[in-house]
Amino acid sequence: MASTGPGTGRRILVVGDIVTDVLAVLAGPVAPGSDTSAEIRVTGGGQAANTAAWLAWRGCPVTLVGEVGADEAGAARLAELTALGVRCVVRRHPDVPTGTVIVLAGNGERTMVTQRGANLRLSPGHVDAALGASVDAGHLHLSAYTLLDAGSREAGRRALAAARGRGLTTSVDAASAEPLRRVGAAAFLSWVRDADLLLANADEAAVLAGPGSPADRARALTEVARHVVLKDGAAGAVWAERGGAVVSAPARRVPVRDVTGAGDAFAAGLLAAWVGGAGAAEALDRAAELGAAAVGILGARPGPRPTTDGSAEVTG
């Protein structure tokens, strides 16, 4: 069992991006300068929002802290999250749009073209206020997109520091390989040092830890975070604990329809289990379960459950 887990029933605060995904599931390779057939949907997205949605779907008390525009897209994104049972502590900004990501998906991969929009307005003060109002919170999960852009970086750093100061455990999802390369591994690792849990996929781990097997990279990163989970797609995942053993788990073998948001669902399954007191093997199994559920649907979010008790707190 994870000795640092805050305990069953404790609320998880998720901090980070809320966006509209324009998802195109391609029928074949992109034909530059011409047409490519695709199934296109407009859905809710954003790493933090997706993880919060899957946590709520799993039945975990969750609060999402973020920013949207005072536009139809922002209203729709908040309505979707509330319907799933997410408590939203979100400011609406009249002068910037809700973030948008164009997602090109196909052959088990996805490529994203991003406009972060209102997400860049996330501020340390908003994070502090959300933490202060969440007296039942036991854990804070941060999407690293907040750290990877200078506009929201101080809010991300403040979220981790303030959570630790209040006695919450913390986790960070490394987010995306190319932005990690741009900011540099050394800088990023200094921002997340002493997090209780760091999650990364194979590409992100290569940026942060250099060459080596998933187990080697996970062990190396425990010098920064107390626990490290590396996701390696169909090859499964590994969990390393500082000074402890490395635990590996296979991926679920399921038909893949769309991989968008699968890593966010994996993170939600992992956190729901670990925050509830589960050990590494059980947490990885629950993570794989939600990751498998995510790849079987179009889009990054689960559908709403029949009944929810979520509420929205919308300010600004």
Side-chain angles (χ1 to χ4, degrees):
M1 181 176 291
S3 61
T4 56
T8 303
R10 298 290 280 174
R11 180 170 296 276
I12 296 177
L13 266 67
V14 181
V15 178
D17 284 9
I18 306 166
V19 308
T20 298
D21 277 353
V22 181
L23 171 64
V25 180
L26 303 173
V30 172
S34 188
D35 292 276
T36 302
S37 296
E39 184 173 354
I40 299 175
R41 291 193 180 185
V42 178
T43 66
Q47 185 177 70
N50 295 340
T51 298
W54 283 101
L55 280 166
W57 190 82
R58 176 57 90 188
C60 184
V62 57
T63 295
L64 175 64
V65 183
E67 318 283 336
V68 296
D71 50 20
E72 291 184 8
R77 301 295 77 81
L78 295 180
E80 293 162 354
L81 291 161
T82 299
L84 282 166
V86 178
R87 179 185 295 170
C88 296
V89 182
V90 174
R91 296 186 303 182
R92 301 187 67 183
H93 299 270
D95 57 336
V96 290
T98 298
T100 301
V101 176
I102 299 171
V103 184
L104 306 179
N107 295 322
E109 295 289 344
R110 82 281 185 274
T111 299
M112 296 175 289
V113 182
T114 304
Q115 175 185 308
R116 291 196 63 214
N119 294 294
L120 295 176
R121 296 293 182 86
L122 186 66
S123 69
H126 183 36
V127 169
D128 277 335
L131 278 163
S134 300
V135 295
D136 59 341
H139 183 85
L140 181 137
H141 178 66
L142 178 69
S143 166
Y145 281 111
T146 62
L147 297 171
L148 298 175
D149 197 298
S152 53
R153 184 170 300 145
E154 288 310 308
R157 298 184 68 182
R158 178 60 185 165
L160 293 173
R164 285 193 292 264
R166 291 177 178 272
L168 279 65
T169 48
T170 59
S171 56
V172 179
D173 194 315
S176 185
E178 187 55 36
L180 285 170
R181 291 188 187 94
R182 289 197 296 266
V183 301
F188 178 80
L189 293 174
S190 72
W191 300 331
V192 303
R193 183 167 295 279
D194 293 328
D196 293 289
L197 176 64
L198 175 65
L199 297 94
N201 65 24
D203 291 340
E204 295 151 9
V207 175
L208 296 176
S213 68
D216 290 340
R217 288 168 170 167
R219 287 192 194 95
L221 290 170
T222 60
E223 295 181 7
V224 174
R226 293 178 178 86
H227 303 265
V228 175
V229 173
L230 297 190
K231 303 166 287 181
D232 198 14
V238 298
W239 179 306
E241 180 178 359
R242 185 180 294 169
V246 174
V247 177
S248 61
R252 301 286 179 99
R253 302 298 179 185
V254 296
V256 176
R257 191 175 184 193
D258 172 27
V259 299
T260 307
D264 308 334
F266 179 99
L270 189 87
L271 291 172
W274 184 67
V275 165
E282 182 181 350
L284 287 173
D285 187 61
R286 298 285 75 79
E289 178 185 5
L290 280 200
V295 301
I297 61 174
L298 282 183
R301 306 266 185 86
R305 288 193 179 279
T307 60
T308 65
D309 60 358
S311 62
E313 178 184 337
V314 184
T315 61

